[in-house]
Amino acid sequence: MSRETDNELVSRCLEGDQRAYGELIDRYQKPVFNHALRTLGDERDAEDVTQNVFMKAYQHLANFNPDYKFFSWVYRIAINETINAAKRKRRHDALDDADAPTFFVDRDSEQEVLEGLWQLGAEDRALVLLKHFEGFSYAEIEYIMDVPLKTVKSRLYTARQRLKDILTRERRIQND
Amino acid sequence: MIDDKVFELINAGVDDELSPSQRSELDQLIADQPEVADLFSQMTDTVHRVQALKSTDPPADLRDRIMASLPAVSMAEHRETRLDSVSSGVGSFVELVRSLFQPRYALQFATVFAGGLLIGALVVSGLTGIGPFGELVDPNQAVGTIGGSPENALTGPTSTTELRGDLFNGTVTVSRSAGGLDLVVEGQTNQTAVIMIGFDEMTEFEGLSYLENKQSANATISSGLITATLSDSNALKVRFRTSNGEPSRFVVQLKEGDSITVTEEITI
C-alpha cells in the first residue's frame, strides 16, 4: 500500500485516477465487511453491502468533506447501508424464522456474543460494534451515526446493559 | 436498584473515562455495594468479549468486484452530469407513482409486501375502527404501514419512521387529526436531498404549513407529486384530506445526487 494519506488518494481519484480508489478499498474493505458481517450475520449479505458501500462512496466522493476522516465518512455510508439491508432482510424473512439464530448448548464464547448481538436492534448492534469492535471514539461515533454525543452514550450504555443481561442469562441457562 | 447517576459512573468507568475523583467514587461504591461491583464486573466482561471477536477476511476477489462495478466515467464528468439528471429523475418518478396506483396494478401492489397477509389484517382492523374521516383512531390499533413491514406498522394517531439514505438521514412522521392527514418530513443531517411524495387519487392535497423550529422547505406541487429539497435547516409539512374510510397511499422517495436511495410506501 502507498503512503499517501486518504485525502491525497481522494484528490487523485477526483482527478480521474481510479487506481487511487483501489487503494482506499484495500485500506478499508475489511472493517466495512466485518461490520456488515457482524450486523447481518451472513457472508453473502456482507459482501453485497460492502460492494454497495464502496460504490456509493465513489458516487458521492465529490461530497466528501476533507475536514473529517475518510474512514469515518465511509463508515457513515456503511452504517446506513447495513441498517437498510437489515430492514430489507427482516421484511423478506418476516414470516420465516429459519434464519433467526438459535441457541446451542455447546456453542463457543464467540458464537454466544454474536447471537447476543443479534438480539439487539440493528442500530444498537451498530453502536456496540463501532465502540468495542472497531474502537471508534465517542466523537467519531457521533459523526458516523449523526446522533448527538449525549444520545450516543445513553444508547450505548443501554445497549451494553441489554447485551450483558442476554449473555448473563445464557450463561445461567448453560450452568443449570 | 442502581440509580441513573451510578449507572453512568459505572459505564464511564468501563470506558476508562473517569477523572481521578470519579474513579475514587466508583471504587468506593464497588467496595460498599455488591450490586454495583457485580454490574461493573459484568459490563466489563461483556465489553471484553465484544473486543475479542475475531475479524474475518473478506473474499480475495471482493476488491476486484468492487472496482469492476465502478462507473467508467471520470469523476469530473460524473460531477457535471449529476446535476442534469435530477429533472429527468423527477419525471420518471411521476410515472412510477401513477403506475403504482392504477387499478390493474392493485394486485401486484398488494403482493409486493411480503408480509401482506399479516399487515392486511392489521390495516383492515385499523380501518374498521375508523369512523368518518376526521375522528381520532384508537391509539392501541395499528392504523397503517410503512413498507409493508410489521416493524413499521403505524400505531396510534402519530407514528414516525426513518429515512436513511447514503448520506442523508431524516424522518417521516405521519399523523391523523380532526383536520386531516399530516406528513412531516425533516432532515437530521446537513447533507441535502430531494424528497418526493407521491399520493394517490383518493387523497387530496390540502396545503403546506410550517414547523416552528425550522424553515419551510419550498415545495413544488403538481398532479399527485410534491417535491422539495431538504437538509437539517428546513422541513416539509403537508396536509392531506382523504375520502371517508378509504386508505391513503403515499410513495416517499429520497434522491441524493442522481440516485434514488430510499423508497418508502406508506399506507394510512
Side-chain angles (χ1 to χ4, degrees), chain A residues 70-144:
Chain A
F70 177 77
F71 186 30
S72 303
W73 183 75
V74 165
Y75 233 90
R76 175 186 268 192
I77 299 172
I79 293 292
N80 289 347
E81 187 63 25
T82 310
I83 288 174
N84 286 338
K87 284 183 185 172
R88 285 194 297 271
K89 197 174 156 78
R90 260 208 319 273
R91 285 180 198 171
H92 186 262
D93 297 339
L95 300 178
D96 178 4
D97 278 338
D99 290 337
T102 53
F103 287 92
F104 306 103
V105 173
D106 294 329
R107 66 196 183 287
D108 62 19
S109 177
E110 168 141 341
Q111 188 66 24
E112 267 182 32
V113 176
L114 292 174
E115 290 176 3
L117 283 167
W118 188 261
Q119 292 187 49
L120 302 178
E123 292 214 14
D124 287 347
R125 193 156 58 235
L127 274 172
V128 171
L129 290 170
L130 283 171
K131 181 70 182 148
H132 300 303
F133 185 63
E134 300 299 336
F136 283 106
S137 69
Y138 277 116
E140 286 168 329
I141 297 174
E142 180 186 24
Y143 169 70
I144 290 168

Side-chain angles (χ1 to χ4, degrees), chain A residues 13-16 18-19 21-23 25-26 29-30 33-34 37-38 43 46-48 50-51 54-63 68 73 76-77 79-81 83-84 87 90-92 94-95 108-114 117 123 128-129 131-133 138 143-147 153-154 156-158 160-161 163-165 167-168 171-172, chain B residues 7-12 14-15 17 38-39 42-43 45-76 78-79 82 114-118 146-152 161-169 188-191 256-264:
Chain A
C13 200
L14 288 172
E15 286 161 14
Q18 264 196 7
R19 288 171 307 170
Y21 197 68
E23 295 220 31
I25 296 172
D26 288 336
Q29 64 163 335
K30 185 169 178 177
F33 174 77
N34 274 275
L37 181 60
R38 299 289 167 241
E43 284 210 21
E47 287 174 33
D48 289 344
T50 306
Q51 187 164 341
F54 282 101
M55 266 175 50
K56 289 183 177 184
Y58 185 79
Q59 286 168 348
H60 293 293
L61 206 57
N63 293 339
Y68 296 96
W73 183 75
R76 175 186 268 192
I77 299 172
I79 293 292
N80 289 347
E81 187 63 25
I83 288 174
N84 286 338
K87 284 183 185 172
R90 260 208 319 273
R91 285 180 198 171
H92 186 262
L95 300 178
D108 62 19
S109 177
E110 168 141 341
Q111 188 66 24
E112 267 182 32
V113 176
L114 292 174
L117 283 167
E123 292 214 14
V128 171
L129 290 170
K131 181 70 182 148
H132 300 303
F133 185 63
Y138 277 116
Y143 169 70
I144 290 168
M145 300 287 289
D146 205 21
V147 168
K153 286 191 171 182
S154 161
L156 180 65
Y157 293 175
T158 306
R160 283 200 298 221
Q161 167 123 39
L163 182 60
K164 183 271 299 176
D165 289 342
L167 296 178
T168 310
R171 191 144 281 180
R172 259 191 243 121
Chain B
F7 183 69
E8 279 198 25
L9 198 64
I10 290 170
N11 275 280
V14 169
D15 290 332
E17 288 189 347
D38 282 346
L39 183 56
Q42 288 166 2
M43 294 281 260
D45 178 63
T46 298
V47 165
H48 289 162
R49 292 178 74 183
V50 176
Q51 289 169 336
L53 288 173
K54 295 188 203 66
S55 206
T56 304
D57 286 328
D61 66 339
L62 183 57
R63 179 207 191 270
D64 291 339
R65 278 190 268 147
I66 294 170
M67 291 299 291
S69 67
L70 297 180
V73 296
S74 72
M75 275 291 150
H78 181 71
R79 267 201 298 270
R82 197 176 44 166
L117 286 176
L118 174 62
I146 295 177
S149 161
E151 285 81 13
N152 289 339
T161 190
E162 288 181 326
L163 281 181
R164 270 189 183 266
D166 292 345
L167 295 170
F168 177 88
N169 287 347
Q188 269 83 49
T189 57
N190 59 8
Q191 304 289 337
E256 296 172 275
D258 58 1
S259 303
I260 302 290
T261 53
V262 176
T263 296
E264 291 283 5

Side-chain angles (χ1 to χ4, degrees), chain B residues 131-231:
Chain B
F133 176 76
E135 288 182 3
L136 283 173
V137 297
D138 179 351
N140 295 320
Q141 280 189 323
V143 298
T145 64
I146 295 177
S149 161
E151 285 81 13
N152 289 339
L154 302 175
T155 56
T158 300
S159 190
T160 300
T161 190
E162 288 181 326
L163 281 181
R164 270 189 183 266
D166 292 345
L167 295 170
F168 177 88
N169 287 347
T171 54
V172 177
T173 301
V174 297
S175 56
R176 190 194 297 268
S177 67
L181 290 172
D182 287 339
L183 252 72
V184 174
V185 189
E186 293 182 78
Q188 269 83 49
T189 57
N190 59 8
Q191 304 289 337
T192 57
V194 174
I195 186 86
M196 293 175 283
I197 303 172
F199 52 98
D200 64 11
E201 57 201 25
M202 304 305 294
T203 305
E204 291 173 23
F205 165 74
E206 183 160 290
L208 296 174
S209 55
Y210 308 98
L211 295 185
E212 286 180 5
N213 60 338
K214 285 205 171 164
Q215 297 171 12
S216 172
N218 293 322
T220 59
I221 301 124
S222 68
S223 307
L225 178 67
I226 297 167
T227 306
T229 301
L230 282 189
S231 68

Side-chain angles (χ1 to χ4, degrees), chain B residues 35-125:
Chain B
E35 194 184 6
V36 173
D38 282 346
L39 183 56
F40 181 75
S41 166
Q42 288 166 2
M43 294 281 260
T44 305
D45 178 63
T46 298
V47 165
H48 289 162
R49 292 178 74 183
V50 176
Q51 289 169 336
L53 288 173
K54 295 188 203 66
S55 206
T56 304
D57 286 328
D61 66 339
L62 183 57
R63 179 207 191 270
D64 291 339
R65 278 190 268 147
I66 294 170
M67 291 299 291
S69 67
L70 297 180
V73 296
S74 72
M75 275 291 150
E77 289 172 16
H78 181 71
R79 267 201 298 270
E80 284 167 13
T81 57
R82 197 176 44 166
L83 295 170
D84 294 337
S85 64
V86 171
S87 55
S88 60
V90 170
S92 60
F93 177 70
V94 172
E95 290 310 309
L96 165 69
V97 171
R98 288 196 179 131
S99 70
L100 279 174
F101 296 139
Q102 285 175 8
R104 67 177 180 274
Y105 287 111
L107 181 59
Q108 293 170 3
F109 184 81
T111 57
V112 163
F113 300 101
L117 286 176
L118 174 62
I119 302 308
L122 286 172
V123 171
V124 167
S125 65

